[in-house]
């Protein structure tokens, strides 16, 4: 029976619940809103499968060897898709191109998308309809659900599967599969700085729906339609009910759908405080699955410096962690540029480093746990001075000038 300090060390990957053949393990939110396993001892037969599947119990906790040098012998690339839909992806559209290729081959893709309630969930699919839904970043921890079990079944049936997830989710798949034949699997791990609480995300959704008097039906946390890749925007989409006379109950729009866009790091408290590490999972502060410890074939992330050829629609950076990963990278039709491990590593420290716990994390979650109806103060009270200064400078129209001046000095 799986047992350790779940609140401290569990990453929420669901490998244990996927492995249980007796329905003894259920993933339920803890008081902070993160999924952790709950074991029904009356159903447990002590088979030990959950212990064998758990990445925490089967991955070294010694992080002292994690460094950029972990990638010294790995092939490194920059990549951007030639597909016009790259603009819908968070960076250069590498995973989008990979998924397209796998679907073309009759395979399955597994990635994160929003469900009808705007909860982040992983889905295994053979449909092009899900391809677009899996694009761009969702800044909240996704629920893997029973995807690991479905992937193993698909692999045993000889089907090709492409998976993309965070380091802990990729590690969870790796330990869950065990000795399963993986010749038809391509696993991709995204460079991750930490995962926010799904419960906190639900609170923010409630706040936004109340503020804009509509139902939140879509969100893009890396929207490029406003100012491209170099200036991050978040876009919220709301629907509004009709009044009895047929008019839309919102003065800002003539349609039933209203898009609200704002600069991510200047106007949106939720995303800013995520990047400020306020409401990340405890295990993110001592992540065991950084560097080369997650079992991925490919590691992918942003390359914000980009390259001139990519324009302003985004560029990905890649490490081929093995021959299978390198083969798949070269099979795609996007623009592929050789680089070295240091070029990527110098702008992606989260490859091997974990974030420090925010000094006000406990204070935030004490308030979160005590609230009955979430209000914006739950977030705005924790915004640091630099956020407020940037916001005022932006309102005065001088932020862009000051930013360019500072970057020029560097």
């Amino acid at each position: 029976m799986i047992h350790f300090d779940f609140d401290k060390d569990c990453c929420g990957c669901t490998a244990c619940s996927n492995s249980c053949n007796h329905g003894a393990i259920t993933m339920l939110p803890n008081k902070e809103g993160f999924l952790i396993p709950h074991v029904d001892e009356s159903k447990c037969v002590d088979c030990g499968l959950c212990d064998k599947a758990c990445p925490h119990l089967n991955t070294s906790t010694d992080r002292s060897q994690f460094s950029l040098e972990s990638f010294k012998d790995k092939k490194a690339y920059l990549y951007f898709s030639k597909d016009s839909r790259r603009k819908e992806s968070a960076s250069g559209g590498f995973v989008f191109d990979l998924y397209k290729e796998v679907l073309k081959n009759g395979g399955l893709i597994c990635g994160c998308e929003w469900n009808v309630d705007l909860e982040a969930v992983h889905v295994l699919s053979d449909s092009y309809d899900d391809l677009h839904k899996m694009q761009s970043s969702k800044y909240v921890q996704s629920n893997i659900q029973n995807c690991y079990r479905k992937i193993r079944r698909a692999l045993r049936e000889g089907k090709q599967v492409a998976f993309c997830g965070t380091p802990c989710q990729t590690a969870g798949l790796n330990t869950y599969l065990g000795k399963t034949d993986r010749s038809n699997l391509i696993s991709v791990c995204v460079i991750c700085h930490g995962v926010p609480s799904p419960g906190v995300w639900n609170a923010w959704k409630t706040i936004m729906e109340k503020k804009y008097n509509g139902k939140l039906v879509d969100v893009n946390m890396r929207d490029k339609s406003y100012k491209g890749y170099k200036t991050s925007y978040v876009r919220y989409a709301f629907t509004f009910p009709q009044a009895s006379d047929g008019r839309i109950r919102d003065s800002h729009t003539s349609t039933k759908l209203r898009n609200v866009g704002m600069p991510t790091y200047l106007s949106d408290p939720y995303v800013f405080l995520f990047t400020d590490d306020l409401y990340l999972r405890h295990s993110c502060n001592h992540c065991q699955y950084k560097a080369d410890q997650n079992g991925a074939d490919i590691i992918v992330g942003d390359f914000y410096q980009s390259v001139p050829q990519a324009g302003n629609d985004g560029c990905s950076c890649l490490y081929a962690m093995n021959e299978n990963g390198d083969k798949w990278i070269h099979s795609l039709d996007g623009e592929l540029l050789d680089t070295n491990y240091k070029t990527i590593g110098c702008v992606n420290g989260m490859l091997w480093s974990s974030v420090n716990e925010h000094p006000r994390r406990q204070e935030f979650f004490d308030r979160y746990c005590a609230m009955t109806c979430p209000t914006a103060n739950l977030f705005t009270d924790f915004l640091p001075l630099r956020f407020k200064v940037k916001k005022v400078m932006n309102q005065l129209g001088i932020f862009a000038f000051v930013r360019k001046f500072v970057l020029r000095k560097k």
Side-chain angles (χ1 to χ4, degrees):
M1 182 191 307
I2 193 165
H3 180 72
F4 54 87
D5 188 339
F6 295 142
D7 289 324
K8 175 177 175 287
D9 294 319
C10 174
C11 64
C13 72
T14 77
C16 58
S17 60
N18 271 265
S19 70
C20 184
N21 297 320
H22 302 278
I25 302 177
T26 307
M27 301 298 294
L28 297 174
N30 64 7
K31 64 180 182 180
E32 295 180 347
F34 294 104
L35 291 178
I36 60 172
H38 287 254
V39 182
D40 183 342
E41 296 185 19
S42 68
K43 295 180 180 180
C44 179
V45 297
D46 284 322
C47 65
L49 289 178
C50 54
D51 291 326
K52 293 177 182 178
C54 175
H56 170 64
L57 296 177
N58 294 280
T59 306
S60 172
T61 57
D62 180 12
R63 298 180 291 117
S64 63
Q65 302 303 312
F66 290 4
S67 75
L68 178 55
E69 296 306 303
S70 302
F71 301 92
K72 184 176 182 179
D73 298 324
K74 308 300 181 185
K75 293 180 180 179
Y77 306 97
L78 303 180
Y79 182 97
F80 60 91
S81 174
K82 297 176 183 177
D83 193 307
S84 62
R85 290 170 290 181
R86 168 168 48 121
K87 197 168 187 176
E88 302 299 319
S89 296
S91 52
F94 169 77
V95 177
F96 177 77
D97 279 0
L98 174 66
Y99 282 171
K100 278 197 307 178
E101 184 68 16
V102 171
L103 288 175
K104 186 178 74 174
N105 294 342
L108 301 168
I109 58 176
C110 186
C112 177
E113 59 183 56
W114 297 117
N115 67 12
V116 293
D117 296 315
L118 278 191
E119 298 166 331
V121 295
H122 261 66
V123 172
L124 182 67
S125 174
D126 61 357
S127 171
Y128 281 91
D129 291 338
D130 286 301
L131 181 60
H132 173 69
K133 296 177 184 178
M134 292 178 186
Q135 284 185 279
S136 201
S137 298
K138 289 86 175 171
Y139 291 146
V140 58
Q141 185 168 31
S142 64
N143 184 350
I144 291 287
Q145 305 185 102
N146 61 350
C147 283
Y148 292 166
R149 187 175 297 182
K150 290 181 176 180
I151 290 172
R152 184 175 63 183
R153 184 183 306 125
L155 293 174
R156 287 175 173 173
E157 293 172 353
K159 296 177 181 177
Q160 197 172 77
V161 179
F163 172 87
C164 182
T166 60
C168 57
Q169 291 171 336
T170 309
L173 176 62
N174 183 47
T175 51
Y176 171 82
L177 289 177
K179 297 180 180 179
T180 302
D181 181 8
R182 308 178 194 201
S183 56
N184 283 324
L185 174 68
I186 175 68
S187 62
V188 181
C189 170
V190 295
I191 300 172
C192 175
H193 110 269
V195 292
S197 160
V200 171
W201 165 241
N202 285 333
W204 180 247
K205 283 191 297 182
T206 299
I207 292 166
M208 292 295 283
E209 288 179 337
K210 184 176 181 180
K211 178 178 180 179
Y212 291 100
N213 191 31
K215 178 175 175 56
L216 188 60
V217 293
D218 190 30
V219 59
N220 187 339
M221 295 173 173
R222 294 285 298 280
D223 196 290
K224 301 176 187 174
S225 64
Y226 293 89
K227 293 189 177 182
Y229 182 58
K230 294 295 182 68
T231 304
S232 182
Y233 266 67
V234 58
R235 175 183 55 80
Y236 297 98
F238 300 88
T239 56
F240 299 90
Q242 288 186 341
S244 57
D245 59 2
R247 291 180 301 174
I248 304 300
R249 293 176 179 169
D250 182 66
S251 59
H252 298 85
T253 181
S254 59
T255 68
K256 292 182 180 181
L257 185 68
R258 177 184 177 189
N259 286 312
V260 177
M262 59 190 77
T264 304
Y265 305 111
L266 293 172
S267 304
D268 188 83
Y270 175 81
V271 178
F272 184 90
L273 290 171
F274 152 61
T275 62
D276 209 36
D277 312 328
L278 180 62
Y279 27 74
L280 303 186
R281 195 171 187 119
H282 270 307
S283 60
C284 298
N285 302 133
H286 50 272
C287 180
Q288 302 168 237
Y289 319 108
K290 299 281 188 175
D292 55 356
Q293 294 298 300
N294 48 63
D297 298 303
I298 299 168
I299 292 180
V300 62
D302 280 298
F303 191 69
Y304 286 113
Q305 290 181 329
S306 195
V307 290
Q309 305 97 300
N312 196 23
D313 284 342
C315 184
S316 301
C317 58
L318 314 170
Y319 286 111
M321 302 303 289
N322 52 40
E323 291 184 7
N324 186 42
D326 199 49
K327 179 193 73 173
W328 274 101
I329 290 171
H330 282 89
S331 73
L332 306 182
D333 60 4
E335 191 70 29
L336 184 65
L337 306 173
D338 290 321
T339 187
N340 64 75
Y341 75 105
K342 288 186 177 179
T343 298
I344 295 174
C346 70
V347 293
N348 279 293
M350 289 297 104
L351 275 162
W352 66 92
S353 300
S354 295
V355 296
N356 294 321
E357 182 173 315
H358 194 285
R360 299 184 69 188
R361 183 188 188 280
Q362 188 61 52
E363 179 187 353
F364 172 85
F365 276 109
D366 285 346
R367 286 182 55 176
Y368 165 79
C369 294
M371 71 179 184
T372 53
C373 182
T375 63
N377 287 347
L378 176 65
F379 296 85
T380 56
D381 285 355
F382 291 87
L383 290 170
L385 179 61
R386 68 180 185 281
F387 177 89
K388 299 170 184 178
V389 170
K390 288 179 180 179
K391 187 173 182 179
V392 171
M393 289 170 59
N394 188 55
Q395 291 170 341
L396 295 174
I398 61 173
F399 177 77
F401 171 79
V402 173
R403 185 172 183 268
K404 287 181 180 178
F405 178 78
V406 172
L407 291 176
R408 193 178 297 121
K409 285 290 185 181
K410 289 183 178 180

